[in-house]
Structure formats: structure tokens, C-alpha cells
Amino acid sequence: MLTSTYNLSLVLCSFLVAILASYTALDMAGRISTAQGRAAHWWLAGGACAMGLGIWSMHFIGMLAFSLPVPVGYDPTITALSLLIAIASSAFALWLVSQQTLPWSRLAIGALLMGPAIAGMHYTGMAAMRMTPGIQYEPRLFDLSLAIAVVASGAALWIAFHLRRQSAHVRLFRAGAAVVMGAAIVGMHYTGMAAAQFPLGSICGAARTGVNADWLAVVIIIVTLAVLAIALIISVLDLRMEARTSVLASSLAEANEELTYLALHDSLTKLPNRALLKDRLGQAMQAADRNNSRFALMFLDLDGFKAVNDAFGHHIGDMLLTEVAERIRSNVRGEDTIARVGGDEFVLLAGIGDPADAATLADKLLGLIQQPVTVAGHELRVSTSIGIAIYPGNGAHQHELLTNADVAMYHAKAMGRDTYCFFETPMNANVHEQLQLVQDLHSAIAQRQLILHYQPKFDAPAGPVVGAEALLRWQHPVRGLISPDQFIPIAEKTGLIVPIGEWVLDEACRQMREWRDAGHTSWTIAVNLSPLQFSHANLIQTVRDTLARHDLEPRCLTLEITESTAMRDVEASLAILLQLHEMGVRIAIDDFGTGYSSLLYLKRLPATELKIDRGFVRDLANDTEDAAIVSAIVALGQTLNLSIVAEGVETSDQQNFLTRLGCDTLQGFLLGRPVSADRFIETVSTVLTASPADAEAVQAG
Ligand code: C2E
Ligand code: CA
Ligand code: CA
């Protein structure tokens, strides 16, 4: 046998190339599995070439490191064939590890195909020497080299598959794995070389045509390293680009998500908006139809929210809304929908078993919203009115269901607020009635259906009469006498309040003129102004003209505006009130105590009178809190030099208590109900000559 020797530095080189080729293979496997579409094919093709070339050149450098005592060369065609085998088996390996899964069976088949392929490359490469006589292979070492090739291929496939995803230390793992894989490839090669035995007298058939081995080694090493390096660099650059693209794509996805969220949610409270509610309502109706189940649609409208907004501004109003929204949201079930559908309007969609469940839920909501809210140091209180519609039953379509819940909510308001009301069919009749009422109101002035009643105001405790408050009534041809609570809100909404208000002012002044002419020169007449009238540009001129028309001194007229009207736009209100004050007209702040006046502002108001809201007076006897509020208001009024009027006095206990507290003027059913001008004179003369108890008897009779 010929004795062979190895060039150690070339052996080392072959080992390094094997490691680098393994690393490239692992990297390519990662690229192929993350690339998409055609890019994946390109990566597979390029990766297979780089990796195949790497493995092959490892093998070839290993061959070059080997020398025999006879001249040696390599047949180019057979060598090229061995390169082709290397590239083809690399392509197969890369394709295999870029699949979604790699079950054990597939791994085994892969290893059984790849191992022989690599061995095939090796032994084809050996055949390129064209030795005569042929190379003899030692069977056990030959089998061992084949076994190493199969096991190394299996291990390489498994590692490549598991390291293909980008993760924290993937490069480090790959480097380690590349060393192990490189060692396996080199092991296979040199085991195969060790198996080869060259009989004495062998000649290499390719020696003459072959190229100088040392030069060939240098060229192959350089080319291989260059190809592997370029492949790795492109891979890293591409990965960076892909990472950037994926960042862009994910921020685009986020922006899209945000846009969808904004389109379906209220920006202030973050609750679903009307659009999302409609969607959920549609789903709830379908689910209820399918499962024979029920749900409640509740329409919530806050009571007293406007007053907060007027007194403290939108900023505080917004914070209050946010807090109320959060309270509701955190107290209903996750699967229920609570949406904000208007300024202070919310809609709750809740699955229920029985209508009684809706009542329980509504009760809970009332309780929640009643709790005071502290916003920016102010303790605010609002309540809510709830209308409930049940599906199925109270409407077949979304629109109908919502309208009916809304109608029921108006009923809750009419029942005195802070309560809930289930929808009932006759309520719809009311809606039509309201529309009819608007129609009728248009012609009410022209048809002389409006009249004024007058309620006397008394010097505390029981007289003399100091004046009267004019209170509007509508003598409806079909429905009889309608009270202002029933039509003033409509007049306000439709703007009709402006001409109606002008009529009231004119009529009240005409009456006052008549009374003055009859000798009641100390009386004053009080006229209520609605918010819309108060902010109407013509107000000052109208008042001036009306007084002039009836030849009345301004001090005979008191204009009553509610506390919340005065607070709506503080500076604008002040400007108007100052003009009225300069004219000499008296100003009363009506329903005092229900709004949120600030003391500072109250000091600047040119008011002459404070009217304590009749709500406080009503509960005086059994509610110590109300008593405390009334005495505080009286004390406040006295400091500010305002005349204090208590309205709604119904019992002599209230009369005595209010007098003791220091109220200047009393007004109420006990002393005199609102009556027509004719009866007013009758009543007043009776009161003037009788005790309060008799007066009550007169009123009742
Ligand atoms: P207001 O200005 O607070 O008027 C007092 C209301 O209390 C009147 O109701 C009166 O009848 C009622 N009242 C008087 N004494 C008692 C009492 O002892 N017990 C009880 N429970 N109630 C008493 P009315 O006439 O129904 O008026 C309701 C509201 O309608 C008025 O409240 C006022 O805000 C508005 N209003 C009435 N007339 C006019 C008007 O001409 N123009 C405007 N803009 N609003 C008006
Ligand atoms: Ca009033
Ligand atoms: Ca009042």
C-alpha cells in the first residue's frame, strides 16, 4: 500500500471551512423560513449554492491536504459532478428544515437521504482521481463514514430546524451548533479518507490533466470564503431590512387599530359610541331571537348636569361625565354594553332573565349615580332618569327600541327625576300628543288662549301683600287649563318662548298699571324669564319699551331668573343684569340653592332678591339638612343685603320657622294660591282682614 501524508494547515483550513459552511447553512435555513413568496425561493437557491459550495470545498481542501508519493490530479468532470451532488443535497436539506413541522419520521427519512448524498459526494470526489488500480476501501471504516454522514445529517437537520427562528441568542447558538456540525462533516470526510487504501504501484489517471494542487487549494479557499461571506452579509442586511419593514408594518397595524377604536368610541369617556352601540344592539337582537332570550335597553339621562356645566364650566362638566361613565362601566357585567350617545346621555344594553332584573339593575344605577362626585375640590351631585325598553316586546327594530327607551326616560323625568320607568305602549300616544301641543302652541297667543295668574307675596309672617308673581297658564280649547311645567319646556325648545315671554311681560305690566291706578302703589309685579329670553338680544329694549308703554316706573317690576340661568355664562349674564339694574328694574334669583353659585360671583350680581327654592321649604320640618341650608341662605342673603323670599310655604310651621330665620317675604299656598287677577283682589282683601288660618280656609274653599 502507498503511504499517504496530510498537510496539517490545509486540514485545519478544511475544518474552518466546514464550520463556516455549517453556520451559513443554519443562517440560510432561518432566512428561508421567515422570507415570503418568491423571496423564499431565491433564498433557497442561493443558500443551497453557498452551502453546497462550502461543504464541497471543505471536502476538496481535505483532498488537497492529502498527498501520495505519486503525482495526483483530479478529473474536472467528475469533480464538477461531486459539487453538483453537494448543492443538490444542500437544497434538499434547506427545503426540509423550512417546512412548518419536522416530525421524527420526516427527520429520519431526511437523514437517510442526505447522509448517503454527502458520502456520495465524497466518494465521487475520490473517484475523480481516476486511480488504477482502483482505490480499495476498508469495509468497516467505509460503513463508519456512512454512519457518521447519516447521524451528522440527522443532527444537522434537527439543529437547523430548531434554530431557524430569530430569538435572543440565536447567533451564539448557531455558532456553537456550526462547530459541532463542522466537526461531524470533517469526521465523516477523514473517516472516509482513512478507509481508502491505495495499492502499491497505483497511478492517478487524472494526474496529467490536473492543475497544481497548492494553487488550486488557495483559489478554492478564497472563492469559498468569499461566497460564504457574501451570503452571510446579504442575509444580515436583508434581515435588518425585514426587521425595519416589520416595525413599519406593525406600527401601521397599530395606527389602523387606533383609528377603528376612535371611530367606535367616545373620545371623552372611552365608552362605545352610537355606531358601536348600533352594532351591538343588532347582535343582541339576533342572539335574543336565536336563543329565545331577553335583554333590556336602558336610556339614561343625567339630571342636574346642565347646572354643573353652567356653574363650573365644561372642563369640570367633562370630568364629572368621565367619573359617572367609569362608575357605570365598572358596575355592569363585561358582556353588557354601556355607550355614550349624547352630552349627558348613556345607553346600557344588558342581558336579563326577567324584567325584574332590569328593575334591580336600574335601581343599582340610580344609587351609583346619586353618590356625590368630588371633582377638582367641588362636591357635585347629579342623579339620573332611566327609561327601560325590553326586547322582545318593546320594539321590533333598533330605532323603535331606542325611541321607546327614550320615551320611557322622559316619563321618568316627568315623574320627578332620579327614577326609572319601563316603557308602556300608551306612552307613544304621549309623543303624538306632544307634537299636537307644539302645533297648538303656535296659535295660542293669537287666539288669546294664554292667561296670567297672580300669586301674592307677603311681608313675613302674614302680610301685608307686597306684590305678586305673574304665572302663566294656557287655557287650551280641548284640554282645559295647562300648567306652565307642561308647555314652557316645549316653548323653550321651539323658540316660541320669546314671543310668549314678551306677551307675559306686557300683560303683567298692563295689570300692574291697573292695580296702581286702583291705589296699590307699593306693590311690585314679578315676571319669570326663561333662559332663552334672558339671552335674547332684544331683552333690554323690550323691557324698556314695555315699561314705557304702560307708564310704569322700573322699580315696580321684578324680573326672576333662575340661579342656573344666571350661572350659565357668568360674564354675559352680568352684563345683561347690570343694564337692567341701571335701568332700575329689580332682579330676583329664583330657585336659589339648586344650582352651584359661587359666593364670589353672587357678590358681583346686582340682584335685589333671593328666592329660596321651594324644595328646601317643603322638607324643612323633617329634614335638618334642609333647615341648615335655609338658614345658611338667609344668613348669606342678609350679608349681601338681599331681600330673602321663601316660596312654597304650605304650613304655618314653615311660616313660623322661616319668619324666625329672618326671611323677609313669604309666598305659598298657605297664604295665597296663584289666581286670576279678579280673584287676586278678592283674596288679598280677605287676607288683609283675616288671620292666616282663615286665609287657608278661604283658599281651600
Ligand atoms: P317658579 O318660578 O318657581 O314659580 C313658582 C311655582 O310654585 C308656581 O308653579 C306656583 O304655582 C308654585 N307654588 C307656589 N306656592 C306653592 C306652594 O305653597 N306649594 C307648591 N307645591 N307649589 C307652589 P307654576 O305656576 O306651575 O309654575 C311653574 C314654573 O313655571 C315656575 O316656577 C316658572 O319657572 C315657570 N313659569 C311660570 N310662568 C312663567 C312665565 O310667564 N314665563 C316663564 N319663562 N316661566 C314661567
Ligand atoms: Ca319664579
Ligand atoms: Ca321658584
Side-chain angles (χ1 to χ4, degrees), residues 632-685:
I633 294 176
V634 173
L636 175 71
Q638 284 170 344
T639 346
L640 296 178
N641 234 341
L642 297 171
S643 157
I644 311 290
V645 183
E647 60 179 357
V649 185
E650 293 183 351
T651 67
S652 34
D653 279 349
Q654 292 166 345
Q655 179 188 30
N656 294 334
F657 190 79
L658 291 162
T659 308
R660 233 181 312 132
L661 280 181
C663 288
D664 304 289
T665 310
L666 303 184
Q667 179 183 352
F669 291 172
L670 173 68
L671 296 162
R673 285 175 181 263
V675 286
S676 64
D678 296 343
R679 283 204 61 197
F680 184 84
I681 293 292
E682 281 172 36
T683 313
V684 165
S685 35

CSV table of all heavy atoms in Angstrom, one decimal, residues 632-685:
chain,number,residue,atom,x,y,z
A,632,ALA,N,-78.5,79.0,56.2
A,632,ALA,CA,-77.3,79.5,55.6
A,632,ALA,C,-77.6,80.5,54.5
A,632,ALA,O,-77.0,81.5,54.4
A,632,ALA,CB,-76.5,78.3,55.0
A,633,ILE,N,-78.6,80.1,53.7
A,633,ILE,CA,-79.0,81.0,52.6
A,633,ILE,C,-79.5,82.4,53.2
A,633,ILE,O,-79.1,83.4,52.7
A,633,ILE,CB,-80.1,80.4,51.7
A,633,ILE,CG1,-79.6,79.2,51.0
A,633,ILE,CG2,-80.6,81.4,50.7
A,633,ILE,CD1,-80.6,78.4,50.1
A,634,VAL,N,-80.3,82.3,54.2
A,634,VAL,CA,-80.8,83.5,54.8
A,634,VAL,C,-79.6,84.4,55.3
A,634,VAL,O,-79.5,85.6,55.0
A,634,VAL,CB,-81.8,83.2,56.0
A,634,VAL,CG1,-82.1,84.5,56.7
A,634,VAL,CG2,-83.0,82.6,55.4
A,635,ALA,N,-78.7,83.7,56.0
A,635,ALA,CA,-77.5,84.5,56.5
A,635,ALA,C,-76.7,85.1,55.4
A,635,ALA,O,-76.3,86.3,55.5
A,635,ALA,CB,-76.6,83.5,57.3
A,636,LEU,N,-76.6,84.3,54.3
A,636,LEU,CA,-75.8,84.8,53.2
A,636,LEU,C,-76.5,86.0,52.6
A,636,LEU,O,-75.9,87.0,52.3
A,636,LEU,CB,-75.8,83.7,52.1
A,636,LEU,CG,-75.1,84.0,50.8
A,636,LEU,CD1,-73.6,84.1,51.0
A,636,LEU,CD2,-75.4,82.8,49.8
A,637,GLY,N,-77.8,85.9,52.4
A,637,GLY,CA,-78.6,87.0,51.8
A,637,GLY,C,-78.5,88.2,52.6
A,637,GLY,O,-78.4,89.3,52.1
A,638,GLN,N,-78.6,88.0,53.9
A,638,GLN,CA,-78.5,89.2,54.8
A,638,GLN,C,-77.2,89.9,54.7
A,638,GLN,O,-77.1,91.2,54.6
A,638,GLN,CB,-78.8,88.8,56.2
A,638,GLN,CG,-80.3,88.6,56.5
A,638,GLN,CD,-80.6,87.9,57.8
A,638,GLN,OE1,-79.7,87.4,58.5
A,638,GLN,NE2,-81.8,88.0,58.2
A,639,THR,N,-76.1,89.1,54.6
A,639,THR,CA,-74.8,89.8,54.5
A,639,THR,C,-74.7,90.5,53.2
A,639,THR,O,-74.0,91.6,53.1
A,639,THR,CB,-73.6,88.7,54.4
A,639,THR,OG1,-74.2,87.5,54.9
A,639,THR,CG2,-72.4,89.1,55.2
A,640,LEU,N,-75.3,90.0,52.1
A,640,LEU,CA,-75.2,90.6,50.8
A,640,LEU,C,-76.3,91.7,50.6
A,640,LEU,O,-76.4,92.2,49.6
A,640,LEU,CB,-75.3,89.6,49.7
A,640,LEU,CG,-74.1,88.6,49.7
A,640,LEU,CD1,-74.3,87.6,48.5
A,640,LEU,CD2,-72.8,89.3,49.5
A,641,ASN,N,-77.0,91.9,51.7
A,641,ASN,CA,-78.1,92.9,51.7
A,641,ASN,C,-79.2,92.6,50.7
A,641,ASN,O,-79.7,93.5,50.0
A,641,ASN,CB,-77.4,94.3,51.3
A,641,ASN,CG,-77.8,95.3,52.3
A,641,ASN,OD1,-78.8,95.1,53.1
A,641,ASN,ND2,-77.1,96.4,52.4
A,642,LEU,N,-79.5,91.4,50.5
A,642,LEU,CA,-80.6,91.0,49.6
A,642,LEU,C,-81.8,90.7,50.4
A,642,LEU,O,-81.8,90.2,51.5
A,642,LEU,CB,-80.2,89.7,48.8
A,642,LEU,CG,-78.9,89.8,47.9
A,642,LEU,CD1,-78.5,88.5,47.4
A,642,LEU,CD2,-79.3,90.8,46.8
A,643,SER,N,-83.0,90.9,49.7
A,643,SER,CA,-84.2,90.6,50.4
A,643,SER,C,-84.5,89.1,50.1
A,643,SER,O,-84.2,88.6,49.0
A,643,SER,CB,-85.3,91.4,49.7
A,643,SER,OG,-86.6,90.8,49.9
A,644,ILE,N,-84.8,88.3,51.2
A,644,ILE,CA,-85.0,86.9,51.1
A,644,ILE,C,-86.5,86.5,51.0
A,644,ILE,O,-87.3,86.9,51.8
A,644,ILE,CB,-84.4,86.2,52.3
A,644,ILE,CG1,-83.0,86.7,52.7
A,644,ILE,CG2,-84.4,84.7,52.1
A,644,ILE,CD1,-82.0,86.3,51.7
A,645,VAL,N,-86.8,85.8,49.9
A,645,VAL,CA,-88.2,85.3,49.7
A,645,VAL,C,-88.2,83.8,49.9
A,645,VAL,O,-87.3,83.1,49.3
A,645,VAL,CB,-88.7,85.7,48.3
A,645,VAL,CG1,-90.1,85.3,48.1
A,645,VAL,CG2,-88.5,87.2,48.1
A,646,ALA,N,-89.1,83.3,50.6
A,646,ALA,CA,-89.3,81.8,50.7
A,646,ALA,C,-90.5,81.5,49.9
A,646,ALA,O,-91.6,82.1,50.2
A,646,ALA,CB,-89.4,81.4,52.2
A,647,GLU,N,-90.4,80.6,49.0
A,647,GLU,CA,-91.6,80.2,48.2
A,647,GLU,C,-92.0,78.8,48.6
A,647,GLU,O,-91.3,78.0,49.1
A,647,GLU,CB,-91.3,80.4,46.7
A,647,GLU,CG,-90.2,79.5,46.2
A,647,GLU,CD,-90.0,79.7,44.7
A,647,GLU,OE1,-90.8,80.4,44.0
A,647,GLU,OE2,-89.1,79.0,44.1
A,648,GLY,N,-93.3,78.5,48.3
A,648,GLY,CA,-93.8,77.2,48.6
A,648,GLY,C,-94.2,77.0,50.0
A,648,GLY,O,-94.1,75.9,50.6
A,649,VAL,N,-94.5,78.1,50.7
A,649,VAL,CA,-94.9,77.9,52.1
A,649,VAL,C,-96.3,77.4,52.2
A,649,VAL,O,-97.3,78.0,51.7
A,649,VAL,CB,-94.9,79.3,52.8
A,649,VAL,CG1,-95.2,79.2,54.3
A,649,VAL,CG2,-93.5,80.0,52.6
A,650,GLU,N,-96.4,76.2,52.8
A,650,GLU,CA,-97.7,75.5,52.8
A,650,GLU,C,-98.3,75.3,54.2
A,650,GLU,O,-99.5,75.0,54.3
A,650,GLU,CB,-97.6,74.1,52.1
A,650,GLU,CG,-97.3,74.2,50.6
A,650,GLU,CD,-97.2,72.9,49.9
A,650,GLU,OE1,-97.2,71.8,50.6
A,650,GLU,OE2,-97.1,72.9,48.7
A,651,THR,N,-97.4,75.4,55.2
A,651,THR,CA,-97.9,75.1,56.6
A,651,THR,C,-97.5,76.3,57.5
A,651,THR,O,-96.6,77.0,57.2
A,651,THR,CB,-97.4,73.9,57.2
A,651,THR,OG1,-96.0,74.1,57.4
A,651,THR,CG2,-97.6,72.6,56.3
A,652,SER,N,-98.3,76.4,58.6
A,652,SER,CA,-97.9,77.5,59.5
A,652,SER,C,-96.6,77.2,60.2
A,652,SER,O,-95.9,78.2,60.6
A,652,SER,CB,-99.1,77.8,60.5
A,652,SER,OG,-99.7,76.6,60.8
A,653,ASP,N,-96.3,75.9,60.3
A,653,ASP,CA,-94.9,75.6,60.9
A,653,ASP,C,-93.8,76.2,60.0
A,653,ASP,O,-92.9,76.8,60.6
A,653,ASP,CB,-94.7,74.1,60.9
A,653,ASP,CG,-95.4,73.5,62.1
A,653,ASP,OD1,-95.8,74.2,63.0
A,653,ASP,OD2,-95.5,72.2,62.2
A,654,GLN,N,-94.0,76.0,58.7
A,654,GLN,CA,-93.0,76.6,57.8
A,654,GLN,C,-93.0,78.1,57.9
A,654,GLN,O,-91.9,78.7,58.0
A,654,GLN,CB,-93.3,76.1,56.4
A,654,GLN,CG,-93.1,74.7,56.1
A,654,GLN,CD,-93.7,74.2,54.8
A,654,GLN,OE1,-94.5,74.9,54.2
A,654,GLN,NE2,-93.3,73.0,54.4
A,655,GLN,N,-94.2,78.6,58.0
A,655,GLN,CA,-94.3,80.1,58.0
A,655,GLN,C,-93.6,80.6,59.3
A,655,GLN,O,-92.8,81.6,59.1
A,655,GLN,CB,-95.8,80.4,58.1
A,655,GLN,CG,-96.1,81.9,58.2
A,655,GLN,CD,-97.6,82.1,58.5
A,655,GLN,OE1,-98.3,81.2,59.1
A,655,GLN,NE2,-98.2,83.2,58.0
A,656,ASN,N,-93.8,80.0,60.4
A,656,ASN,CA,-93.1,80.4,61.6
A,656,ASN,C,-91.6,80.3,61.6
A,656,ASN,O,-90.9,81.2,61.9
A,656,ASN,CB,-93.7,79.7,62.8
A,656,ASN,CG,-95.2,80.0,63.1
A,656,ASN,OD1,-95.6,81.1,62.7
A,656,ASN,ND2,-95.9,79.1,63.6
A,657,PHE,N,-91.2,79.1,61.2
A,657,PHE,CA,-89.8,78.8,61.1
A,657,PHE,C,-89.1,79.8,60.2
A,657,PHE,O,-88.0,80.3,60.6
A,657,PHE,CB,-89.6,77.4,60.6
A,657,PHE,CG,-88.2,76.8,60.7
A,657,PHE,CD1,-87.8,76.4,62.0
A,657,PHE,CD2,-87.4,76.8,59.6
A,657,PHE,CE1,-86.5,75.9,62.1
A,657,PHE,CE2,-86.1,76.3,59.8
A,657,PHE,CZ,-85.6,75.9,61.0
A,658,LEU,N,-89.6,80.0,59.0
A,658,LEU,CA,-89.0,80.9,58.0
A,658,LEU,C,-88.9,82.3,58.6
A,658,LEU,O,-87.9,83.1,58.4
A,658,LEU,CB,-89.7,80.8,56.7
A,658,LEU,CG,-89.5,79.5,56.0
A,658,LEU,CD1,-90.6,79.3,54.9
A,658,LEU,CD2,-88.1,79.4,55.4
A,659,THR,N,-90.0,82.7,59.2
A,659,THR,CA,-90.0,84.1,59.8
A,659,THR,C,-88.9,84.2,60.8
A,659,THR,O,-88.2,85.2,60.9
A,659,THR,CB,-91.4,84.4,60.4
A,659,THR,OG1,-92.4,84.1,59.5
A,659,THR,CG2,-91.5,85.8,60.8
A,660,ARG,N,-88.8,83.2,61.7
A,660,ARG,CA,-87.8,83.2,62.8
A,660,ARG,C,-86.4,83.3,62.2
A,660,ARG,O,-85.6,84.0,62.7
A,660,ARG,CB,-88.0,82.0,63.7
A,660,ARG,CG,-88.1,82.4,65.1
A,660,ARG,CD,-88.2,81.1,66.0
A,660,ARG,NE,-89.2,80.2,65.5
A,660,ARG,CZ,-89.0,78.9,65.4
A,660,ARG,NH1,-87.8,78.4,65.7
A,660,ARG,NH2,-89.9,78.1,64.9
A,661,LEU,N,-86.2,82.5,61.1
A,661,LEU,CA,-84.9,82.6,60.5
A,661,LEU,C,-84.5,83.9,59.9
A,661,LEU,O,-83.3,84.3,59.8
A,661,LEU,CB,-84.8,81.5,59.4
A,661,LEU,CG,-84.6,80.1,59.8
A,661,LEU,CD1,-84.5,79.2,58.5
A,661,LEU,CD2,-83.3,80.0,60.6
A,662,GLY,N,-85.5,84.7,59.6
A,662,GLY,CA,-85.2,86.1,59.1
A,662,GLY,C,-85.6,86.3,57.6
A,662,GLY,O,-85.2,87.2,57.0
A,663,CYS,N,-86.5,85.4,57.1
A,663,CYS,CA,-87.0,85.6,55.7
A,663,CYS,C,-87.8,86.9,55.7
A,663,CYS,O,-88.6,87.2,56.6
A,663,CYS,CB,-87.8,84.5,55.2
A,663,CYS,SG,-86.9,83.0,54.9
A,664,ASP,N,-87.6,87.7,54.6
A,664,ASP,CA,-88.4,89.0,54.6
A,664,ASP,C,-89.8,88.8,54.0
A,664,ASP,O,-90.7,89.4,54.4
A,664,ASP,CB,-87.6,89.9,53.7
A,664,ASP,CG,-86.2,90.2,54.1
A,664,ASP,OD1,-86.0,90.8,55.2
A,664,ASP,OD2,-85.3,89.6,53.5
A,665,THR,N,-89.9,87.9,53.0
A,665,THR,CA,-91.1,87.7,52.3
A,665,THR,C,-91.5,86.3,52.1
A,665,THR,O,-90.6,85.4,52.0
A,665,THR,CB,-90.9,88.3,50.8
A,665,THR,OG1,-90.4,89.6,51.0
A,665,THR,CG2,-92.3,88.4,50.1
A,666,LEU,N,-92.8,86.0,52.2
A,666,LEU,CA,-93.3,84.6,52.1
A,666,LEU,C,-94.2,84.5,51.0
A,666,LEU,O,-95.0,85.4,50.7
A,666,LEU,CB,-93.9,84.1,53.4
A,666,LEU,CG,-93.1,84.2,54.7
A,666,LEU,CD1,-93.9,83.6,55.9
A,666,LEU,CD2,-91.8,83.5,54.5
A,667,GLN,N,-94.2,83.4,50.3
A,667,GLN,CA,-95.1,83.1,49.1
A,667,GLN,C,-95.4,81.7,49.2
A,667,GLN,O,-94.6,80.8,49.4
A,667,GLN,CB,-94.3,83.5,47.8
A,667,GLN,CG,-95.1,83.2,46.5
A,667,GLN,CD,-94.3,83.5,45.3
A,667,GLN,OE1,-93.1,84.0,45.4
A,667,GLN,NE2,-94.8,83.2,44.1
A,668,GLY,N,-96.7,81.3,49.0
A,668,GLY,CA,-97.1,79.9,49.1
A,668,GLY,C,-98.6,79.7,49.2
A,668,GLY,O,-99.3,80.6,49.5
A,669,PHE,N,-99.0,78.4,49.1
A,669,PHE,CA,-100.4,78.1,49.1
A,669,PHE,C,-101.0,78.5,50.4
A,669,PHE,O,-102.2,78.8,50.5
A,669,PHE,CB,-100.6,76.6,48.8
A,669,PHE,CG,-100.3,76.2,47.4
A,669,PHE,CD1,-100.2,74.9,47.0
A,669,PHE,CD2,-100.0,77.2,46.4
A,669,PHE,CE1,-99.9,74.5,45.7
A,669,PHE,CE2,-99.7,76.8,45.1
A,669,PHE,CZ,-99.7,75.4,44.8
A,670,LEU,N,-100.2,78.5,51.5
A,670,LEU,CA,-100.8,78.8,52.8
A,670,LEU,C,-101.4,80.2,52.8
A,670,LEU,O,-102.5,80.4,53.3
A,670,LEU,CB,-99.7,78.7,53.9
A,670,LEU,CG,-100.1,79.2,55.3
A,670,LEU,CD1,-101.1,78.2,55.9
A,670,LEU,CD2,-98.9,79.3,56.2
A,671,LEU,N,-100.7,81.1,52.2
A,671,LEU,CA,-101.1,82.5,52.2
A,671,LEU,C,-101.9,82.9,51.0
A,671,LEU,O,-102.7,83.8,51.0
A,671,LEU,CB,-99.9,83.4,52.4
A,671,LEU,CG,-99.1,83.2,53.7
A,671,LEU,CD1,-97.7,83.8,53.7
A,671,LEU,CD2,-99.9,83.8,54.9
A,672,GLY,N,-101.6,82.3,49.8
A,672,GLY,CA,-102.3,82.6,48.6
A,672,GLY,C,-101.9,81.8,47.4
A,672,GLY,O,-100.7,81.7,47.1
A,673,ARG,N,-102.8,81.2,46.8
A,673,ARG,CA,-102.5,80.4,45.6
A,673,ARG,C,-102.5,81.3,44.4
A,673,ARG,O,-103.1,82.4,44.4
A,673,ARG,CB,-103.6,79.3,45.3
A,673,ARG,CG,-103.5,78.2,46.2
A,673,ARG,CD,-104.6,77.2,46.0
A,673,ARG,NE,-104.5,76.1,47.0
A,673,ARG,CZ,-103.9,74.9,46.7
A,673,ARG,NH1,-103.5,74.7,45.4
A,673,ARG,NH2,-103.9,73.9,47.6
A,674,PRO,N,-101.9,80.9,43.3
A,674,PRO,CA,-102.0,81.7,42.0
A,674,PRO,C,-103.4,81.7,41.6
A,674,PRO,O,-104.0,80.7,41.5
A,674,PRO,CB,-101.1,81.0,41.0
A,674,PRO,CG,-100.2,80.0,41.8
A,674,PRO,CD,-101.1,79.7,43.0
A,675,VAL,N,-104.0,82.9,41.3
A,675,VAL,CA,-105.4,83.0,40.9
A,675,VAL,C,-105.5,84.1,39.8
A,675,VAL,O,-104.5,84.9,39.6
A,675,VAL,CB,-106.3,83.4,42.0
A,675,VAL,CG1,-106.5,82.3,43.0
A,675,VAL,CG2,-105.8,84.6,42.8
A,676,SER,N,-106.6,84.2,39.2
A,676,SER,CA,-106.8,85.2,38.1
A,676,SER,C,-106.8,86.6,38.8
A,676,SER,O,-106.9,86.7,40.0
A,676,SER,CB,-108.2,85.0,37.5
A,676,SER,OG,-109.2,85.2,38.4
A,677,ALA,N,-106.6,87.6,38.0
A,677,ALA,CA,-106.4,89.0,38.5
A,677,ALA,C,-107.7,89.4,39.3
A,677,ALA,O,-107.5,90.0,40.4
A,677,ALA,CB,-106.2,89.9,37.4
A,678,ASP,N,-108.9,89.0,38.9
A,678,ASP,CA,-110.1,89.3,39.6
A,678,ASP,C,-110.1,88.7,41.0
A,678,ASP,O,-110.3,89.4,42.0
A,678,ASP,CB,-111.3,88.8,38.8
A,678,ASP,CG,-111.5,89.5,37.5
A,678,ASP,OD1,-110.8,90.6,37.3
A,678,ASP,OD2,-112.2,89.0,36.6
A,679,ARG,N,-109.8,87.4,41.0
A,679,ARG,CA,-109.9,86.7,42.3
A,679,ARG,C,-108.7,87.2,43.2
A,679,ARG,O,-108.8,87.1,44.4
A,679,ARG,CB,-109.8,85.2,42.1
A,679,ARG,CG,-111.1,84.6,41.6
A,679,ARG,CD,-111.2,83.1,42.0
A,679,ARG,NE,-111.2,82.9,43.5
A,679,ARG,CZ,-110.9,81.7,44.0
A,679,ARG,NH1,-110.7,80.7,43.2
A,679,ARG,NH2,-110.9,81.6,45.3
A,680,PHE,N,-107.6,87.6,42.6
A,680,PHE,CA,-106.5,88.1,43.4
A,680,PHE,C,-106.9,89.2,44.3
A,680,PHE,O,-106.6,89.2,45.5
A,680,PHE,CB,-105.4,88.6,42.4
A,680,PHE,CG,-104.1,89.0,43.1
A,680,PHE,CD1,-103.2,88.0,43.4
A,680,PHE,CD2,-103.9,90.3,43.4
A,680,PHE,CE1,-102.0,88.4,44.1
A,680,PHE,CE2,-102.7,90.7,44.1
A,680,PHE,CZ,-101.8,89.7,44.4
A,681,ILE,N,-107.6,90.2,43.7
A,681,ILE,CA,-108.0,91.3,44.5
A,681,ILE,C,-109.0,90.9,45.7
A,681,ILE,O,-108.8,91.3,46.8
A,681,ILE,CB,-108.7,92.4,43.6
A,681,ILE,CG1,-107.7,93.0,42.7
A,681,ILE,CG2,-109.4,93.5,44.5
A,681,ILE,CD1,-106.6,93.9,43.3
A,682,GLU,N,-109.9,90.0,45.3
A,682,GLU,CA,-110.8,89.4,46.4
A,682,GLU,C,-110.0,88.8,47.5
A,682,GLU,O,-110.2,89.1,48.7
A,682,GLU,CB,-111.7,88.3,45.8
A,682,GLU,CG,-112.8,88.7,45.0
A,682,GLU,CD,-113.5,87.5,44.3
A,682,GLU,OE1,-113.5,86.4,44.9
A,682,GLU,OE2,-113.9,87.6,43.1
A,683,THR,N,-109.1,87.9,47.1
A,683,THR,CA,-108.3,87.1,48.1
A,683,THR,C,-107.5,88.1,49.0
A,683,THR,O,-107.5,87.9,50.2
A,683,THR,CB,-107.3,86.2,47.4
A,683,THR,OG1,-108.0,85.5,46.4
A,683,THR,CG2,-106.6,85.2,48.3
A,684,VAL,N,-106.8,89.0,48.3
A,684,VAL,CA,-106.0,89.9,49.1
A,684,VAL,C,-106.8,90.7,50.1
A,684,VAL,O,-106.3,90.8,51.2
A,684,VAL,CB,-105.2,90.8,48.1
A,684,VAL,CG1,-104.6,92.0,48.8
A,684,VAL,CG2,-104.2,90.0,47.4
A,685,SER,N,-107.9,91.1,49.7
A,685,SER,CA,-108.7,91.9,50.7
A,685,SER,C,-109.1,91.0,51.8
A,685,SER,O,-109.2,91.5,53.0
A,685,SER,CB,-109.9,92.7,50.0
A,685,SER,OG,-110.4,91.9,49.0
